[in-house]
Structures are given as structure tokens and as C-alpha cells.
Amino acid sequence: MALRFSKGQIVRLTVALAIVVIAIWQLAPLTVSDIRPNGVVNAKLVTIQAPISGQLVRAIPDVGEPVSAGSIVTRITDDTEPQALLTQLDGEYQLLRSRKTALVEKLSTLNGLRRELGERVREMVTGSMESLHYKMLEAAARQKGWMSVVKERDLSLARQKTLLADGHVAKARVEEAESLLEQAQQEVERARADEERYRKESGALEKGVFVGDGQNDVPYSQQRLDEVVLAIADLNVQLTETNGRMASLEKQLRDESARAGRRESMLVRSPIDGLIWRRMATELATVTKNNDLAKILDCSDIRIEVPVDESLSDRMEIGAVVSVRLQGSPETFEGIISGVIGTRAVSPELEYAALPPLLKKDEVLLVVNIPDSGFEDRPETFCNVGRRAEVSIPSRLHSWFGESDPS
């Protein structure tokens, strides 16, 4: 006997069946996966710093504007530090030039004085040599003259002795003749001694030593000449040192000028493909070396950070595939678990654009990478950084079904 349903029963059965289907459709994902709706889309930030100190003469691109690796972000001119160093080096070089000029002038004056003193000493030596020569001639002539007197008085003494023997003169005349002879002989010796002394003085004078009466070993002009020679030697040493220092400064000036030419204008380029996330310096602003200029969003490595129960961390395998869906979007993406960060973990040195979600007690931070999200193709959305995301983590039941399917 066939069952007959009234029209009202059919409507009620249809409604009940629809409710069951909707309930199964809504609850089925919960039986095969663990859905976490508190994820945050995040990406790394790359900071661009000023390579030199100077002024920005080119504006940094606007926030959100795409930049490619190697493209020019800004340009910095630097004419302060090199110019200050060049001014300092040039001042020192000019000071050394003045010192060299003074040394050369002083050296020229001393060389002139040396020539003058040398000429004066030579004239003095020549005059002294001539004077000694004439004195030797005079002493030789005086010696000859007194030798003639000695001969004459020797003959006179002989005559006086003969006359004394004949009794024609007194003995006092003989004694007077002897005294005169002795006096003449002494004069001969004195003339011979003078001649010898003048000869020795002449020999010493040829060696530059003055041994005359009332003189030192050298005259005042010779002493002054010796002092001038020593002063010239000292000035030559100073001049050599100054020339060496000037040559060193010239080389340093050339090197610094070349380096300043390279540093006066430097282009700042982007190290990656990305988006301008933040500008930290404006056009014509003055910056110092290593100052932050801008932050670039790296959309090549999008990650989802989502809190999960710490009890689930043991079954979170690195490399496992999960499903990701942005809040308000029906499109889903395949994600890969890349790490689990505990509540006590130290924050990495890498800087990220969005703040990670707050972790409750007994929660850890699950990191999911989306390699083929295509977010970088939509720069107007800033690669969806900061948006909420829903992550569906396969449950044990899903794993069981997955293992059962092949069998």
C-alpha cells in the first residue's frame, strides 16, 4: 500500500530536509578542520638609510607607490663634510707654503751672509798672510843686518884686545867691546826667532787657525761664519721636512677632492621590489649618515600570523598545508605552515608592517606563508597587509579521512 502524504506534510518534510542540509553544510568544516578567524596578514619591512650626510634633492616616492629593485628612491647631495675637510687641508697646506717661503727667504739671507763672511775671512787670511810674509822678510833682513854688526863688533873686540896687549887702551874698552858684541848676537837670535815665529803663524793661518798676539784660534768673522753654516744646515733640514709634508698634503688633497666628487651626489636605490610603506624624510631635508629615509613593504613574502591553542602546537607540522581566507572575501588560498612562536619567544630583529595578534594564555602564534597569493599584484591594497584572515587547520578527522581515501 503506497504512502500518501498531504501537501502540508510534504512542505514540512522539505523544510526539515533543508535545515538538515544547511546544518551539515555549516558544521561539516568544523568536523574536518579547526578554523581560526583571528589571523593577521603581515609582511617584512626593509629600511632604507642615508649612505652619506647631506640634503635630499629628490623627493621619495609617495606612500603606496611601487618600486623595483635597483630603482632610484632619492638622491642626496653632500658638500659639507668633504668641504670642511678640504678647507682644513688647504689651510694647513697654505700655512706650510708660507713657512716654506719664510724658510727660503731666511736661507737666502743666510747664504748671502755666508758669502759675505767667507769673503771677509778670505780677505783677512790673505791680508794676514801678506803681513806675515813681510814680517818674515823684515826679520830675515834684520837678522842679516845684525849678523853684519856681529862681524864688525867681533873685529872691533879683536882690535881692542890687541891694543890692550900693547898697553894702548884700558881694559874697560875691551869689556865695552865684548858687551856690544854680545848685544849684537842677541839681536841676531831675536831676529831669527821672529822669523821662525812668523813662519809658524803663516803655516797655522793656511790651516785657518789664527795664533797672532791678542787673537783666539779663529777671528770673529770666522766664528760668525761657522754659526751661519750651522744655521743653514738646520734650515735645510726644516725645508726638507716642510717639502715632504707639503707633498703628502698635496696627495691627500687630490684624494679627498676625488672622494668628495664621488660623494657630493649619491643616488639611493631600492634593494627589493616592493611598496613605499612610510616616508621618513621630505625633499630638501637635511639628513645625517645612517638616518632612516623610508620603509619599503616586501610583498614577496606574505605571511599570516594566527593564534592557536598551545595544545595544538604538537600536531602543527612545518610544511603542512592549510586553507586561508581573507575576512569578507570568498576566495581561499593555500598556505604552508612555516613556524610556531611561543609566548615567551624574543621578538626577531626583522621588522614587520602589521602588529601580530594578541596572544591569550596558553596560546602560541602560528605562522603561515602564502607563496602564491598574488597580493603583490594589487599594490593599491598594500598587499592586504593588516587585514584579518581566517585559517582553516586540518583536524584529526580530516587526517583520518585523508589516510582512508587511498585504501
Side-chain angles (χ1 to χ4, degrees), residues 20 29 39 46 71 73 78 120 125 129 162 168 225 252 271 285 294 306 311 317 337 341 354 371 379:
V20 171
V46 176
S71 63
V73 176
D78 176 19
R120 190 183 302 174
V125 170
M129 291 289 291
T162 301
H168 296 294
L225 180 60
Q252 193 174 358
V306 58
S311 59
E317 296 182 0
I337 297 176
I341 302 175

Side-chain angles (χ1 to χ4, degrees), residues 253-270:
L253 275 169
R254 289 194 300 270
D255 295 342
E256 289 298 330
S257 297
R259 187 170 68 91
R262 293 192 299 269
R263 293 182 59 188
E264 280 181 359
S265 180
M266 181 169 287
L267 297 175
V268 181
R269 301 180 182 273
S270 173

Side-chain angles (χ1 to χ4, degrees), residues 104-301:
V104 170
E105 291 179 355
K106 189 174 182 180
L107 192 60
S108 177
T109 303
L110 288 179
N111 282 325
L113 181 59
R114 181 178 64 176
R115 288 191 295 270
E116 180 182 347
L117 290 174
E119 186 64 27
R120 190 183 302 174
V121 169
R122 283 191 294 273
E123 291 177 356
M124 184 176 182
V125 170
T126 302
S128 299
M129 291 289 291
E130 291 179 356
S131 176
L132 288 175
H133 175 68
Y134 288 123
K135 287 181 178 180
M136 284 190 294
L137 293 178
E138 291 176 357
R142 192 169 63 251
Q143 181 180 357
K144 290 179 180 180
W146 280 108
M147 287 180 67
S148 299
V149 173
V150 167
K151 290 179 180 180
E152 179 184 351
R153 291 182 178 180
D154 187 37
L155 293 175
S156 176
L157 177 61
R159 286 194 303 268
Q160 294 296 330
K161 286 181 177 180
T162 301
L163 291 174
L164 177 62
D166 296 337
H168 296 294
V169 294
K171 188 177 180 181
R173 295 293 298 272
V174 174
E175 292 176 353
E176 181 181 357
E178 290 177 349
S179 176
L180 291 174
L181 176 60
E182 185 178 356
Q183 180 182 1
Q185 290 174 344
Q186 291 176 356
E187 291 295 337
V188 170
E189 293 298 327
R190 182 180 294 112
R192 185 181 292 114
D194 288 341
E195 183 183 6
E196 183 65 23
R197 177 165 60 85
Y198 294 147
R199 184 178 290 107
K200 289 184 178 180
E201 286 184 9
S202 178
L205 189 59
E206 290 177 354
K207 299 177 182 179
V209 179
F210 292 75
V211 293
D213 295 337
Q215 292 180 338
N216 296 322
D217 55 345
V218 290
Y220 175 75
S221 296
Q222 182 65 47
Q223 293 178 8
R224 288 284 295 144
L225 180 60
D226 294 340
E227 294 174 359
V228 169
V229 170
L230 291 176
I232 289 175
D234 182 63
L235 286 178
N236 283 324
V237 172
Q238 295 182 37
L239 189 59
T240 302
E241 294 175 352
T242 302
N243 287 330
R245 178 57 181 160
M246 287 181 66
S248 176
L249 276 178
E250 287 177 355
K251 181 179 182 303
Q252 193 174 358
L253 275 169
R254 289 194 300 270
D255 295 342
E256 289 298 330
S257 297
R259 187 170 68 91
R262 293 192 299 269
R263 293 182 59 188
E264 280 181 359
S265 180
M266 181 169 287
L267 297 175
V268 181
R269 301 180 182 273
S270 173
I272 61 169
D273 295 332
L275 304 174
I276 298 297
W277 181 258
R278 182 183 177 190
R279 295 193 307 176
M280 309 172 75
T282 59
E283 188 177 5
L284 301 182
T286 300
V287 297
T288 57
K289 185 177 180 180
N290 296 328
N291 273 11
D292 293 344
L293 301 179
K295 293 185 182 295
I296 299 179
L297 182 65
D298 184 7
C299 296
S300 64
D301 186 17

